[in-house]
Amino acid sequence: MSSFILQISPLMVSVQRMEGMLSGFQSDLSSISSEIQTLQQQSVSMNVRLKNRQAVRSHLSQLVDELVVPGAMISTILDSPVTEQEFLEQLHELNNKINFAKELSFRETLACSDIQDIVDRLKLKAVSKIREFILQKIYSFRKPMTNYQIPQNTLLKYRFFYQFLLANERTVAKEIRDEYVDTMSKIYFSYFKSYSGRLLKVQYEEVADKDDLMGVEDTAKKGFFSKPSLKSRNTIFTLGQRGSILSPAELEGPILVPHTAQRGDSRYPYETLFRSQHYALLDNGCREFLFLSDFFMVAGNSALDLFNSIMGKTLSMFLKSMSTYVSDCYDSIAIFLCIHIILRFRAITAKRTIPALDKYWEAVLELLWPRFDLILEMNIHSIRNTDPQKLGVLDTRPHYITRRYAEFSSAIVSINQTFPNERTNALLGQLQIEVENFVLKMAAEFPSRRDQLIFLINNYDMMLSVLMERAADDSKEVEGFQQLLLARTQEFIEEILSPPFGGMIAFVKEAEALMEKGQLDRLKNEEARISQLVRGFSSSWKQSVEAMSQDVMRSFTNFKNGTSIIQGALTQLIQYYHGFHKVLNQPTFRSLAVRSELINLHHLMVEVKKHKPNF
């Protein structure tokens, strides 16, 4: 037993020694792990410190860069002309440094004081040079014969100059803006005053006055014009070529050059001068508004206020001179053309999204519309108060008053189609009613109904022909006169058929009425009457038709209308003779021997066709 114990003892010692070694290893490993964690923490800390230092270095580097004023900047701002690109680039840099210095000053950064003085001195130098440059450009506008658009375009290239002044020296910016406003206001006023005055020298010397109205008789002692070059009052109611002023080619064409027109002894109506004057205004006004918005960096109401401070005096002059002219103008077509010129110019500025002249357009229209209405009402009253007995010798041809109306109405209707105006349509409706009444009053002066109808048809046809040249076929004026012409033409056809064929026509109408009632037998004892009608027609119809055709062609001034009336009369005659055949084919008259003497209807139609006039 004791020997066994002695054998075990060395093993136990070895195990204990091994346990001690393992415990030592475990302790060493624990300390290594702790050291690794410490090293990791130190590495993270060093990395953070590095990033912080790099960030600080970046900010400090930027700060130092902004604080440093390079020598190149100083020499360029001091010595280089403002028109050089390098000056503009250094001015941008200087502007950035000024803003940075303001920011540092706000933060109370001590380093700001190191550069503030030199930045301020550079700013003053830059402001001084820019002020001198811009003012010189503005003063150059004042030189005679200067195209001010060229220096304006130069200023737009250096628009940053004004932005720099506005940000850093508002008093100088205001001085430049005020100087520009004062200079351009005088330039525009002087230019347009001179141009408008020279335009008036090439206006027609002959002008309408308050006696040149539609209902005034041509026999009046006072002529339409003071000079004999235009002898008729009718010219004031005729559009002629005047309407071409509204075509795009002329509306936006080159403006008139008055001295060139004077050398060629050219003269123009008022609306041509008006168009030239206002197109010059539109062109200059749009360009000026765009320049102001761009160079002075204004928009909305500020831009409109600045524009009005420049153009206001000129626009007031326009309105005043226009008011003076319009108050004594009796040329309604000229006024109406001016209205439509303004409506089109207003559309042009709206398309260009330039609102600068909107209020002026409205002011002009407020001047022109009431005057146009007044002249139209004066013409309406003149026709209403016309005394037919004072209009000279009666004549069935178209009357000069109705011709005036037709020319005038067609002119207004054709112009009014693009920009319809209900007030104008209403006044034209009143004018048409008065003209229709006038035509009826004049027709009543003729003793015979036949002459009355010839007069009515000639006048309705003439008015319709003139209207259809310019107005739409579905216009109220055209439709109204078409109905009147048709009604009077039908009545006239009956009137001219009555003398040669009245007996037959009366018999047919009477017989047809009795046939409807079933009482045709009441005419069975009219054999002698029927025989006379049949033989009378057969023997004389050709001569009667020929005489009727010649009479109609002599009575109507419009060959086409006369031909149409003859064709209508012959057609109506055939219808009556067809009715005559139909009546005599009834049982009541079948036994009459005279029926064999009736002309064959087809043969009659062939013969009648020979009497129709050819164009």
Side-chain angles (χ1 to χ4, degrees):
M1 185 68 176
S2 59
S3 63
F4 177 74
I5 292 172
L6 288 172
Q7 290 176 359
I8 291 294
S9 294
L11 289 172
M12 292 178 65
V13 171
S14 297
V15 169
Q16 288 176 352
R17 189 181 298 122
M18 184 65 68
E19 285 179 353
M21 288 175 64
L22 290 174
S23 296
F25 284 145
Q26 185 176 8
S27 176
D28 291 341
L29 287 173
S30 296
S31 64
I32 290 172
S33 176
S34 176
E35 288 176 2
I36 289 173
Q37 288 179 353
T38 301
L39 289 173
Q40 284 178 336
Q41 290 173 355
Q42 288 176 350
S43 175
V44 170
S45 176
M46 290 174 67
N47 191 38
V48 170
R49 287 199 299 273
L50 177 62
K51 287 182 178 179
N52 288 340
R53 285 175 183 175
Q54 288 175 339
V56 169
R57 180 180 179 182
S58 174
H59 286 299
L60 283 174
S61 175
Q62 182 179 353
L63 177 64
V64 170
D65 287 342
E66 293 291 351
L67 287 172
V68 172
V69 179
M73 176 185 289
I74 296 172
S75 61
T76 301
I77 296 296
L78 292 178
D79 302 325
S80 296
V82 297
T83 53
E84 289 189 5
Q85 182 64 27
E86 188 180 0
F87 180 88
L88 186 61
E89 291 172 358
Q90 292 298 337
L91 189 66
H92 278 279
E93 290 299 320
L94 176 60
N95 193 54
N96 291 336
K97 291 190 181 297
I98 292 170
N99 293 332
F100 188 72
K102 288 178 183 177
E103 185 180 346
L104 292 180
S105 177
F106 179 75
R107 295 178 183 175
E108 298 182 353
T109 304
L110 295 176
C112 175
S113 59
D114 294 339
I115 65 163
Q116 190 67 54
D117 182 58
I118 190 168
V119 166
D120 287 343
R121 283 190 287 173
L122 285 175
K123 180 181 76 172
L124 289 175
K125 183 62 176 178
V127 166
S128 175
K129 293 176 72 172
I130 291 170
R131 175 184 176 277
E132 182 181 359
F133 171 75
I134 295 178
L135 287 178
Q136 282 180 351
K137 289 297 176 187
I138 293 173
Y139 294 150
S140 70
F141 296 170
R142 302 175 181 177
K143 295 178 182 178
M145 308 300 291
T146 297
N147 181 359
Y148 58 85
Q149 294 171 21
I150 295 174
Q152 271 187 338
N153 292 335
T154 302
L155 287 176
L156 285 177
K157 288 170 58 179
Y158 302 103
R159 60 175 64 85
F160 180 71
F161 287 176
Y162 184 78
Q163 183 179 341
F164 180 84
L165 294 178
L166 198 62
N168 299 293
E169 199 62 59
R170 284 185 171 271
T171 55
V172 175
K174 184 178 184 303
E175 177 194 7
I176 285 175
R177 178 166 155 165
D178 291 345
E179 193 65 38
Y180 179 85
V181 168
D182 182 64
T183 298
M184 293 309 296
S185 176
K186 290 175 180 176
I187 287 174
Y188 282 125
F189 181 79
S190 175
Y191 165 72
F192 279 109
K193 184 178 181 180
S194 171
Y195 183 65
S196 300
R198 285 183 284 124
L199 278 179
L200 290 177
K201 293 179 181 179
V202 295
Q203 184 183 358
Y204 281 134
E205 294 179 7
E206 304 88 353
V207 292
D209 62 25
K210 57 186 174 61
D211 294 320
D212 298 310
L213 299 172
M214 203 173 293
V216 175
E217 60 273 15
D218 271 349
T219 54
K221 290 182 180 179
K222 185 180 185 317
F224 170 44
F225 289 126
S226 58
K227 292 197 174 182
S229 57
L230 293 174
K231 298 183 176 69
S232 174
R233 242 186 211 92
N234 295 336
T235 54
I236 195 173
F237 304 107
T238 304
L239 185 62
Q241 296 300 314
R242 295 170 73 181
S244 61
I245 196 73
L246 299 177
S247 66
E250 289 199 31
L251 189 71
E252 299 183 60
I255 63 174
L256 287 177
V257 182
H259 64 269
T260 303
Q262 278 184 293
R263 281 203 301 266
D265 289 329
S266 300
R267 292 292 182 268
Y268 302 93
Y270 178 73
E271 66 272 8
T272 301
L273 311 182
F274 181 90
R275 194 283 318 175
S276 187
Q277 181 189 49
H278 281 82
Y279 188 67
L281 175 66
L282 180 149
D283 192 42
N284 284 277
C286 289
R287 187 181 294 109
E288 186 63 33
F289 184 79
L290 291 174
F291 174 82
L292 295 174
S293 301
D294 196 357
F295 186 78
F296 291 104
M297 298 179 295
V298 288
N301 290 332
S302 298
L304 293 175
D305 291 342
L306 184 58
F307 177 84
N308 289 329
S309 64
I310 292 173
M311 299 297 294
K313 193 176 177 183
T314 299
L315 299 181
S316 296
M317 176 193 68
F318 272 21
L319 290 173
K320 184 177 179 180
S321 62
M322 203 181 314
S323 177
T324 302
Y325 177 84
V326 166
S327 64
D328 196 38
C329 176
Y330 295 88
D331 186 350
S332 50
I333 289 181
I335 297 291
F336 201 59
L337 285 170
C338 290
I339 288 171
H340 279 263
I341 287 169
I342 293 299
L343 291 174
R344 284 160 174 76
F345 282 170
R346 185 172 67 177
I348 289 172
T349 54
K351 188 177 180 181
R352 296 180 185 179
T353 61
I354 295 178
L357 292 168
D358 287 357
K359 288 187 178 179
Y360 174 75
W361 300 142
E362 292 302 321
V364 174
L365 292 175
E366 287 174 7
L367 273 177
L368 297 176
W369 273 120
R371 187 64 188 178
F372 175 74
D373 291 350
L374 176 64
I375 301 172
L376 204 49
E377 287 170 354
M378 290 172 68
N379 280 292
I380 291 170
H381 290 307
S382 74
I383 293 177
R384 182 182 302 153
N385 298 328
T386 298
D387 184 353
Q389 295 182 351
K390 293 183 179 179
L391 297 180
V393 180
L394 286 175
D395 191 336
T396 57
R397 289 175 297 182
H399 199 275
Y400 57 81
I401 289 181
T402 57
R403 179 168 290 280
R404 289 175 188 169
Y405 161 76
E407 293 286 356
F408 177 77
S409 184
S410 66
I412 300 302
V413 168
S414 63
I415 296 169
N416 200 44
Q417 287 173 346
T418 310
F419 292 90
N421 179 269
E422 289 305 316
R423 170 69 175 159
T424 302
N425 290 334
L427 287 171
L428 285 178
Q430 291 180 33
L431 183 62
Q432 182 178 349
I433 291 171
E434 294 302 331
V435 169
E436 290 174 9
N437 292 337
F438 164 76
V439 172
L440 293 175
K441 282 195 297 183
M442 285 298 299
E445 295 293 310
F446 292 92
S448 70
R449 183 58 181 165
R450 179 181 174 282
D451 286 344
Q452 291 177 1
L453 290 171
I454 292 173
F455 177 81
L456 290 172
I457 291 171
N458 272 330
N459 280 275
Y460 291 151
D461 175 64
M462 181 275 296
M463 290 189 282
L464 189 60
S465 298
V466 174
L467 281 167
M468 290 184 70
E469 286 179 9
R470 296 186 182 275
D473 291 346
D474 59 350
S475 69
K476 290 188 295 185
E477 291 80 7
V478 169
E479 290 180 355
F481 285 117
Q482 281 177 333
Q483 293 172 3
L484 290 170
L485 178 62
L486 180 61
R488 297 290 78 79
T489 300
Q490 287 300 117
E491 185 180 351
F492 180 75
I493 287 172
E494 295 293 332
E495 187 76 20
I496 60 174
L497 288 176
S498 182
F501 308 111
M504 181 192 71
I505 293 171
F507 176 80
V508 170
K509 289 180 178 178
E510 181 183 359
E512 287 177 344
L514 291 172
M515 282 169 61
E516 288 182 7
K517 299 176 183 177
Q519 301 174 357
L520 190 59
D521 288 345
R522 292 173 60 179
L523 296 176
K524 63 182 178 179
N525 297 323
E526 298 282 350
E527 183 177 351
R529 178 185 175 191
I530 294 171
S531 298
Q532 183 183 1
L533 292 175
V534 171
R535 290 166 183 155
F537 184 87
S538 300
S539 63
S540 64
W541 77 268
K542 287 186 179 180
Q543 297 91 326
S544 298
V545 166
E546 184 64 35
M548 183 177 67
S549 297
Q550 293 178 1
D551 183 43
V552 167
M553 296 310 293
R554 283 195 302 268
S555 299
F556 295 99
T557 53
N558 183 348
F559 179 76
K560 184 177 179 181
N561 184 45
T563 302
S564 175
I565 290 173
I566 293 171
Q567 291 175 341
L570 295 177
T571 302
Q572 188 67 34
L573 176 62
I574 290 172
Q575 288 179 352
Y576 279 131
Y577 200 69
H578 180 260
F580 192 44
H581 266 261
K582 188 176 178 181
V583 169
L584 295 186
N585 281 333
Q586 298 300 311
T588 305
F589 304 114
R590 280 180 187 167
S591 60
L592 294 178
V594 76
R595 288 180 65 248
S596 62
E597 298 180 33
L598 285 170
I599 299 173
N600 179 273
L601 201 59
H602 178 70
H603 175 70
L604 178 65
M605 292 172 66
V606 172
E607 288 295 317
V608 161
K609 220 175 241 188
K610 297 177 183 179
H611 289 271
K612 289 185 177 180
N614 296 317
F615 290 105

